[in-house]
Amino acid sequence: MTAGLVAGSLTGWQPLPLGLLIVGVGLLLLGLSFSGTTAGAFWQQRSTQVGTNAIISVVAVLVILGLLNFLAVQFSSRLDLTETQLFTLAPASKQVAQELDEPVRIVIFDPVRSPGDVQLLESYRRLNNQFSYDYIDPYANPLEAQAFGANQPGMVFLEVGEERRFLQSIGGADNPENLGAPDGLSERQITNALDQIIRDRSLTVYFVQGHGEYVIDGSEAGLSQAATSLEDKNYVVNPLNLAETQTIPDDASVLVIAGPDQDFFEAEVEALEAYLAEGGGVLLLLDPRTDGGLGTLLDDWGVALDDRIVLDTSGAGQFVGLGEAAPIVSEYGDHPITQEFGNGRSFFPLARPIETQEIPDVNSTPLLFTNPQSLAETVSDEGTLSFDPEAPSEGPYVLGAALSRSVEGETPEGDAEGAATEEAPEGDTEGAAAEEAPEDAEGVAAEEAPENDAEGAAAEEAPENDAEGAAVEEAPENDAEGAAAEEAPETLEARIVVIGNSGFATDGVFDQQLNGDIFLNAISWLGQEGDATLSIRPKSVTDRRIQMTAQQAWGLGIFSLLILPLTGLALAILMALRRR
């Protein structure tokens, strides 16, 4: 108490002097309460003991609740009991959010907060404190809305430092001015936008044209939705006519050949083979009865195309408005393209089976399996298809496969042909046998070799010049063709994904079920981005509706409207007669 009085009088009544004074007064009163006969009698009273116990219990409960809340905030955990994990971020979203190393803010110009959107944004924020979000009422803050360029409610922006980019629009009943927009925030779009911030590499995807392939410009039904989805992931998308360019551009990360109905020229096939030999990636979507003249290329990878059409005779297609010629796939191979699909569904109208054979150095993984109750039938020359529903099933068939093989990449800068080197500097030494060779020495074996040409010398240490056929200990930045070095050249992979159908990725079908995810994930894998964010399928509530055939619906109606009421009436009459 004295310390508080002295400190307060000298420095002013700051929190520390006040605290000392209060503690001192409290200790003084506590000491007085335990001294003297009256005080002892006070503490021995039953009411005092009961009151003290009550106070201690209340304080203990408050302390426990406070600690529990503190621990819950510091170590939060949630359990998502929904079957499709509606309230849990996809693995790709978690990975991207955890890798954020600079502040990122989502700004939603909307006067009303959607609980579902807030739930999604909170899921990102929990993973990384670099992520934040704000709701701004565009009517109450028109200047801020103008600064972002938000001219209507429901616009969502991503802010990174000084950069602001439009992300999407959200609509629904809360935003009558924006009813055409999706109802809520898209996890896919948020994750792709965050991924663009983290990755500094942009893949370039070329869609090959000129052989009857689907167009991507939207002028007619084709792959415009697929191309737009790739652009949303920050991919560069361009058409490519090999007959005009004669070569494949150097910046091509992935080639897409979707539904050709005319054969490629021999020179075009050779260009594709050369592109693959350099570690390229090709997505082949080949419909039945045509291979685009790519048979020789596929033979080299051990892929055989079956000209028959797969029919799903299980009857599952009629429940979703599909016929037997659009087999539903719910079983997938163990591969990065399909590893997150679980038992999700995709469908492939007029698909052909494919077969793969073992080829040395080629890794093959089947991706898509049809229902075991499936058949493969041949289409006649007139284009008709007939089958016997009672015929025994031959499935499952494989509709798609991913293949890869290692290719040796070029080592950087320089020329060293036929060199076997452990250390090869930048110099010109042809057949030199010298420890250190003097300047311009042909056939000389010397102990010291400066930076010049030494032909016919054997050297342990070669200076900065070109070395052809030199034996040295360490190979720096040079091109080594046929070199045997301790540091192996960079290894790349040539990759191909072959699917016996192109219709699954066309407009109007692309965004149904997992069709678009298969296409986008295949592109990401073919692009060989080690940390690529694969596609995130939208979460949806499991459809619990009962699917019935016409006979089942008729039978249920008769039972519920006729048999069940008559049975109840008969039982009631019987009970009444028995009581009489």
Side-chain angles (χ1 to χ4, degrees), residues 112-132:
V112 179
R113 294 191 174 208
S114 167
D117 291 347
V118 172
Q119 174 74 35
L120 177 63
L121 295 169
E122 280 292 324
S123 298
Y124 283 97
R125 189 190 62 78
R126 289 189 190 96
L127 294 172
N128 197 327
N129 57 12
Q130 298 280 17
F131 182 91
S132 61

Side-chain angles (χ1 to χ4, degrees), residues 14-241:
Q14 303 297 325
L16 179 60
L18 285 174
L20 290 172
L21 184 59
I22 293 171
V23 171
V25 172
L27 291 174
L28 179 61
L29 294 176
L30 184 63
L32 292 175
S33 66
F34 281 97
S35 62
T37 306
T38 305
F42 170 78
W43 287 108
Q44 292 178 358
Q45 293 177 7
R46 181 175 179 81
S47 59
T48 303
Q49 295 174 359
V50 173
T52 304
N53 288 336
I55 293 173
I56 293 174
S57 300
V58 171
V59 172
V61 169
L62 293 177
V63 170
I64 291 172
L65 291 175
L67 288 174
L68 288 175
N69 278 275
F70 174 77
L71 293 175
V73 171
Q74 296 297 318
F75 308 99
S76 62
S77 179
R78 297 185 305 151
L79 182 62
D80 190 348
L81 298 178
T82 58
E83 182 180 1
T84 56
Q85 299 294 288
L86 285 171
F87 307 107
T88 302
L89 292 180
S93 299
K94 293 179 180 178
Q95 176 187 350
V96 169
Q98 290 169 346
E99 292 179 4
L100 288 175
D101 56 1
E102 58 180 323
V104 175
R105 185 170 72 127
I106 299 287
V107 181
I108 306 100
F109 287 93
D110 199 332
V112 179
R113 294 191 174 208
S114 167
D117 291 347
V118 172
Q119 174 74 35
L120 177 63
L121 295 169
E122 280 292 324
S123 298
Y124 283 97
R125 189 190 62 78
R126 289 189 190 96
L127 294 172
N128 197 327
N129 57 12
Q130 298 280 17
F131 182 91
S132 61
Y133 66 93
D134 285 311
Y135 273 86
I136 298 177
D137 187 345
Y139 303 113
N141 300 277
L143 293 180
E144 193 159 6
Q146 184 178 6
F148 276 83
N151 52 21
Q152 62 182 10
M155 298 186 71
V156 182
F157 293 84
L158 178 69
E159 184 179 58
V160 185
E162 299 297 326
E163 180 186 356
R164 296 167 177 173
R165 69 178 75 168
F166 174 73
L167 190 61
Q168 69 170 105
S169 290
I170 54 179
D174 294 334
N175 289 326
E177 299 179 27
N178 204 10
L179 287 176
D183 290 341
L185 290 173
S186 166
E187 178 186 348
R188 182 189 305 227
Q189 289 187 319
I190 294 176
T191 296
N192 287 338
L194 297 179
D195 186 60
Q196 294 173 21
I197 298 171
I198 297 173
R199 323 293 177 207
D200 56 359
R201 179 189 175 201
S202 178
L203 295 182
T204 302
V205 180
Y206 283 92
F207 285 76
V208 177
Q209 306 284 286
H211 314 89
E213 295 92 348
Y214 288 105
V215 298
I216 62 173
D217 57 5
S219 58
E220 58 184 80
L223 298 178
S224 60
Q225 280 185 307
T228 301
S229 297
L230 290 172
E231 291 171 345
D232 290 342
K233 290 173 65 68
N234 200 33
Y235 288 49
V236 178
V237 178
N238 290 311
L240 174 65
N241 193 321

